[in-house]
Amino acid sequence: KLVESGGRVVRPGGSLRLSCVASGFIFDDYGMSWVRQAPGKGLEWVSGLNGQGGSKYYGDSVKGRFTISRDNAKNSLYLEMNSLRAEDTALYYCVRGFSVSYMDVWGKGTTVTVSS
Amino acid sequence: EIVLTQSPATLSLSPGERATLSCRASQSVSSYLAWFQQIPGQPPRLLIYDASKRATGVPARFSGSGSGTDFSLTISSLEPEDFAFYYCQQRSIWPLTFGGGSKVEIK
């Protein structure tokens, strides 16, 4: 199970930190990703990292603005979001799966709205 | 970036009919392709991975095929709960990418 939190309304240029707590599996055995879905739109992979957090990748639209991290002692995944733009408005899903494994477990998502 | 193009955008069919969805990659992704189902208001669900392997608990009416750049998802006989959105996704080359999605709607 994956449970996200931290989504809220934020002004353009602002910052936000999303969190995801995992349970029911050995967290550090799996790479993890963040995937977002803008209202009425399709899925966009945002960022991912491996089980130990040493390899991190980002989508072009968030590179340099977002930072992914994890704390395996807390079974937690994070997404630090800076310089937020209106186009970052979306439902953000925490997902088990990264490069060598498919995205097979999804949280229910947390909503980020960037608006003045 | 690998672009995944899904077709058709919308497929209108009746329960019991066969549905075939297509996903075309802008360059080869070998067999590193997955299919997801999304019912509105719910998170996506993994249906198919490695192009043709069914995920745990996925009914046998769902099947995937293809390799390289051309893939398809077939639902052999549509059940009411199959009317949903479907997305393909590749994990061959960074960044990971999704197709734009196909909607299977009731005719």
Side-chain angles (χ1 to χ4, degrees):
Chain A
K1 184 178 178 182
L2 299 169
V3 179
E4 305 93 336
S5 62
R8 62 174 174 87
V9 179
V10 61
R11 293 187 185 273
S15 299
L16 201 56
R17 188 194 200 203
L18 304 184
S19 301
C20 168
V21 177
S23 60
F25 63 95
I26 301 173
F27 185 62
D28 51 7
D29 276 356
Y30 292 88
M32 299 291 294
S33 291
W34 289 97
V35 175
R36 69 184 181 184
Q37 188 168 34
K41 302 296 184 182
L43 302 169
E44 179 188 9
W45 176 80
V46 172
S47 182
L49 77 175
N50 65 355
Q52 297 307 309
S55 294
K56 304 178 182 181
Y57 289 86
Y58 299 90
D60 290 344
S61 62
V62 306
K63 203 173 296 183
R65 300 188 299 124
F66 290 10
T67 302
I68 192 171
S69 62
R70 66 190 295 159
D71 184 339
N72 288 344
K74 295 182 179 179
N75 284 357
S76 293
L77 177 73
Y78 306 102
L79 186 68
E80 192 76 41
M81 310 164 68
N82 296 315
S83 303
L84 283 162
R85 307 166 180 166
E87 54 264 36
D88 296 318
T89 294
L91 181 64
Y92 283 73
Y93 292 106
C94 172
V95 187
R96 187 176 82 173
F98 178 44
S99 60
V100 297
S101 60
Y102 289 96
M103 292 183 257
D104 64 343
V105 179
W106 294 65
K108 294 188 186 309
T110 187
T111 299
V112 174
T113 303
V114 184
S115 174
S116 54
Chain B
E1 172 175 317
I2 292 181
V3 176
L4 299 177
T5 302
Q6 291 189 239
S7 62
T10 303
L11 192 57
S12 299
L13 294 169
S14 300
E17 290 193 293
R18 181 184 188 90
T20 301
L21 306 178
S22 172
C23 176
R24 177 163 290 177
S26 58
Q27 63 187 88
S28 176
V29 299
S30 185
S31 294
Y32 297 120
L33 189 106
W35 289 93
F36 295 86
Q37 177 194 62
Q38 187 177 32
I39 294 167
Q42 296 184 19
R45 170 196 179 195
L46 178 65
L47 293 178
I48 300 288
Y49 65 97
D50 285 346
S52 62
K53 299 175 182 175
R54 274 190 301 276
T56 304
V58 174
R61 64 181 181 272
F62 291 92
S63 63
S65 64
S67 67
T69 61
D70 289 298
F71 301 87
S72 63
L73 173 71
T74 299
I75 311 170
S76 59
S77 178
L78 284 163
E79 296 288 339
E81 61 268 27
D82 300 335
F83 292 92
F85 291 87
Y86 293 85
Y87 297 92
C88 57
Q89 178 253 325
Q90 64 82 24
R91 68 168 185 86
S92 177
I93 295 176
W94 297 106
L96 307 183
T97 50
F98 287 90
S102 289
K103 180 182 181 181
V104 178
E105 66 175 22
I106 299 176
K107 187 175 180 180

